[in-house]
Amino acid sequence: METRRLGTSDIKITPIIMGTWQAGKTHWVGIEDAETIKAIRAAFDAGITTVDTAEIYGNGHSEQIVAQALSDVRDQVVYASKVWVGNLKYDKVIEACDRSLKNLQTDYIDLYQIHWFSGNFNTEVVPIEETMSALNKLKEQGKIRAIGVSNFSRAQLEEAAQYGKIDSLQPPYSLFWRQVEQDAQPYCIENTISILAYSSLAQGLLTGKFGLDHQLREGDHRAKNRLFQGDNYKRAQQALDKLRPIAERHNCSLAQLSLAWLIAQPQTHAIAGARHEGQSSSNAKAAEVKLSQEEVQEIDAIGRIVTDPLDDNPVMWNWDI
């Protein structure tokens, strides 16, 4: 698989990135460690050499699973992890990074990201200058190679960039969720900041496997995802019906088509999770789907059936916190 430069760093990442939120098990159902390890390894074997995780995913469990899957090929992969919003004070950032290094069984993290802007989830407000100071220190020590942010608005991104080099933004971004295009994407393009899109398949909605009458299993956090609710869900089904003929033209799945559209956007890479080996291999093949500019625009218009009626709330979930 081709690689692309991460921001202005010397790190090369793949356009499809293995996501491992599910590896932490928390908020997910039916996840087995052995299957997850196989899925991560299958992604690597299929050419996906970039893996995204976070300390909050199962309180380090996801990071540990990544290490079990890839430690023997560590020199061939790029690890991206994140510090949780409750650990943004200087000393806590350092401690969190050391925990993640231990979990990942490595002496460096290629990309270390601030998971949420300070104050989210009723956390203590910490000046971004303090957090960035800690990240700059970790970079100076060689414990991390690049700094990124996640779930930041353009204004928050601009503020963080005053105190250090930001090489990536990780926003929710898919054909069905596109607020970043109106807010931070132009800034990222102007400043050579890579966009690492999470929920790139709208938590599975863009696979087409959830029909109009589908009932989510108890404990499945997708029940709180606004795209899975009411009229949003109905509009998504209408859009999927219009996407199917395009996927058939390319002899690819809806998921592959959706990922191909996403990585065709400026400076954008798609994080895609997988429960088993087959999903990993399938996600990797999305990089082989080549869309014409006309098809990109056609898919864009279909996606707007879902996105145009959405409000400006940047958070995809109705969380009770």
Side-chain angles (χ1 to χ4, degrees), residues 47 62 114 116 223 265 270 273 297 302:
S62 172
I114 304 172
W116 290 85
Q265 305 309 306
Q297 292 170 357
I302 293 169

Side-chain angles (χ1 to χ4, degrees), residues 56-183:
I56 196 65
Y57 300 163
N59 290 321
H61 188 71
S62 172
E63 293 175 324
Q64 292 165 10
I65 293 297
V66 168
Q68 288 182 51
L70 298 173
S71 283
D72 64 318
V73 290
R74 174 65 184 100
D75 61 335
Q76 300 174 55
V77 293
V78 170
Y79 284 169
S81 194
K82 309 179 199 75
V83 57
W84 182 240
V85 67
N87 293 327
L88 297 184
K89 293 184 74 67
Y90 186 96
D91 290 343
K92 287 193 171 184
V93 172
I94 305 297
E95 291 166 5
C97 183
D98 285 341
R99 280 195 304 273
S100 290
L101 288 168
K102 184 177 179 181
N103 286 334
L104 287 164
Q105 298 176 29
T106 186
D107 54 6
Y108 67 95
I109 295 169
D110 299 277
L111 174 63
Y112 200 43
Q113 305 154 96
I114 304 172
H115 206 149
W116 290 85
F117 196 79
S118 177
N120 273 286
F121 305 110
N122 299 319
T123 56
E124 178 186 0
V125 175
V126 179
I128 189 66
E129 181 179 8
E130 179 177 344
T131 304
M132 286 296 296
S133 177
L135 293 172
N136 288 331
K137 182 65 174 179
L138 289 168
K139 193 173 178 182
E140 182 185 310
Q141 293 174 330
K143 290 183 176 180
I144 65 174
R145 296 175 65 198
I147 298 167
V149 297
S150 178
N151 298 298
F152 275 39
S153 67
R154 174 175 179 143
Q156 292 165 343
L157 185 53
E158 287 177 329
E159 185 181 357
Q162 293 177 32
Y163 304 106
K165 177 60 189 164
I166 305 294
D167 278 309
S168 66
L169 168 69
Q170 186 174 144
Y173 187 19
S174 73
L175 184 60
F176 287 174
W177 194 270
R178 299 166 62 176
Q179 276 93 335
V180 69
E181 293 177 347
Q182 306 304 317
D183 183 45

Side-chain angles (χ1 to χ4, degrees), residues 215-267:
Q215 295 294 314
L216 294 170
R217 291 166 63 181
E218 186 176 349
D220 192 327
H221 69 288
R222 279 176 284 217
K224 295 182 182 293
N225 186 321
R226 294 196 285 141
L227 292 174
F228 280 78
Q229 297 171 356
D231 289 340
N232 291 338
Y233 191 70
K234 291 176 185 175
R235 282 189 283 265
Q237 300 303 321
Q238 294 167 14
L240 289 168
D241 285 342
K242 292 179 181 294
L243 291 171
R244 284 189 174 92
I246 307 174
E248 288 169 8
R249 279 205 307 264
H250 284 274
N251 195 28
C252 70
S253 67
L254 283 171
Q256 290 164 342
L257 184 74
S258 301
L259 292 173
W261 175 85
L262 192 55
I263 64 175
Q265 305 309 306
Q267 289 172 208

